Amino acid sequence: MPELPEVEHAVRRLRVALVGRAIVRARALHRSLRRSMTPARLRSLAGRTVREVSRRGKHQLLHLDSGALLHVHFRMTGDWEWHATGAPSPAHVRFALELDDATTVVLSDSRALATVAFVRGVADLPALGPEADDPTLTADWLRAALRGRRGAIKTVLLDQRLLAGIGNIYASEALWHAQLSPRASAASLAPARVTRLLAGIRKALARGMAREGRHEEGESHEFLVYDREGAPCHRCGAAIRRLVQGQRSTYWCPRCQRV
DNA sequence: TATGGCCTGTGG
DNA sequence: CCACAGGCCATA
């Protein structure tokens, strides 16, 4: 579940379950996580209290009372779940924290690509641009940040060093809102288009946050263009197309998203 | 820029 | 069987 809105929602839910609680036992249940979480490191979590949970882009940091930081990244399919300690575990549990209130928080991750590791500080995370939903960002800043970027805007939006938190879905969604072609050259976007792009990013992320807020699923459509190949554009009715950029799918409207 | 790797699951 | 999957890194 991993783009900025989904990770932010996961962090908020995790805080309720975890902040102020003491860890009784930590377990790594898949070899992909045992590489970073050795038995000694897992033991070092026992007895620790979680002071806070923070987010930077799609990265999560669990702040422990010992001063240690546990870094979690969901990658493609990670999510937090929890259940009563001793109850049957949900499917795909890769990492588990048994807490002092008889609940167990688990990292569920079908593809087992998520990562959990100790870090010393935010400096140990990969270089990240400002938060993609930072309300203080300006079009001038974005224009300067795009200057010198080679390649198509869709591909550039996925680079976390530009903006932290935009993934493959919201890149397509933002460009649809901005009515910009995903193939447009990032470096040569005219100022008015950069302004539209910033607004489009905000709209896409705001929609994502709103969607996360409702735990009611089943509503008409989740995304405006993503995964809608062949379906009519919600703005002009033309058939949505799919193309591949940098080995990732892009969805766009060929009529109302212009270069 | 493209490919492969990490992993497993789903759907055609 | 194959393609594809909301991420990211290392490699030529």
Side-chain angles (χ1 to χ4, degrees):
Chain A
M1 308 201 59
E3 297 195 34
L4 191 156
E6 293 79 18
V7 175
E8 175 61 23
H9 191 235
V11 162
R12 290 180 188 181
R13 289 186 299 123
L14 184 63
R15 280 191 190 116
V16 174
L18 205 51
V19 169
R21 299 257 64 89
I23 296 164
V24 175
R25 181 165 75 134
R27 291 188 292 155
L29 305 168
H30 191 283
R31 89 176 166 279
S32 66
L33 283 184
R34 290 199 195 99
R35 285 194 281 268
S36 59
M37 297 306 290
T38 61
R41 287 172 181 160
L42 291 166
R43 278 197 301 278
S44 78
L45 284 167
R48 301 274 60 87
T49 295
V50 180
R51 285 255 172 80
E52 77 174 288
V53 182
S54 61
R55 179 186 62 74
R56 181 75 178 90
K58 306 171 199 173
H59 302 256
Q60 300 172 62
L61 291 174
L62 279 57
H63 303 244
L64 308 179
D65 59 355
S66 59
L69 285 175
L70 199 58
H71 172 223
V72 178
H73 197 299
F74 282 164
R75 299 290 186 108
M76 299 287 264
T77 53
D79 198 11
W80 296 117
E81 297 178 24
W82 50 89
H83 57 79
T85 298
S89 282
H92 313 308
V93 170
R94 312 307 187 193
F95 179 72
L97 294 172
E98 297 176 12
L99 307 180
D100 62 351
D101 63 353
T103 64
T104 297
V105 169
V106 301
L107 172 58
S108 173
D109 178 29
S110 61
R111 286 181 72 178
L113 295 174
T115 58
V116 178
F118 283 107
V119 294
R120 297 204 50 82
V122 181
D124 291 325
L125 304 187
L128 297 170
E131 293 293 312
D133 64 348
D134 182 340
T136 70
L137 296 181
T138 65
D140 281 345
W141 174 86
L142 183 56
R143 190 151 45 96
L146 288 174
R147 191 154 38 214
R149 290 286 184 147
R150 306 179 54 242
I153 185 61
K154 157 61 162 47
T155 305
V156 170
L157 284 177
L158 294 181
D159 186 344
Q160 303 298 296
R161 293 171 298 184
L162 176 74
L163 289 168
I166 299 178
N168 201 43
I169 289 179
Y170 293 105
S172 282
E173 296 288 296
L175 290 167
W176 182 86
H177 283 292
Q179 299 186 55
L180 291 175
S181 167
R183 295 195 267 219
S185 160
S188 52
L189 281 185
R193 286 162 188 257
V194 175
T195 299
R196 262 159 48 201
L197 176 58
L198 183 57
I201 290 167
R202 288 177 170 148
K203 277 185 205 167
L205 294 175
R207 268 187 73 94
M209 291 302 304
R211 184 168 56 85
E212 289 302 307
R214 314 185 291 268
H215 32 153
E216 203 62 7
E217 305 294 326
E219 274 310 314
S220 49
H221 46 66
E222 308 230 331
F223 303 114
L224 295 171
V225 274
Y226 183 81
D227 204 22
R228 296 192 65 244
E229 184 178 17
C233 173
H234 288 305
R235 189 166 43 223
C236 77
I240 298 299
R241 303 246 306 263
R242 171 182 177 269
L243 74 135
V244 175
Q245 296 177 288
Q247 278 73 267
R248 314 293 305 279
S249 288
T250 301
Y251 296 87
W252 63 298
C253 173
R255 186 186 294 167
C256 62
Q257 289 180 253
R258 303 296 184 166
V259 174

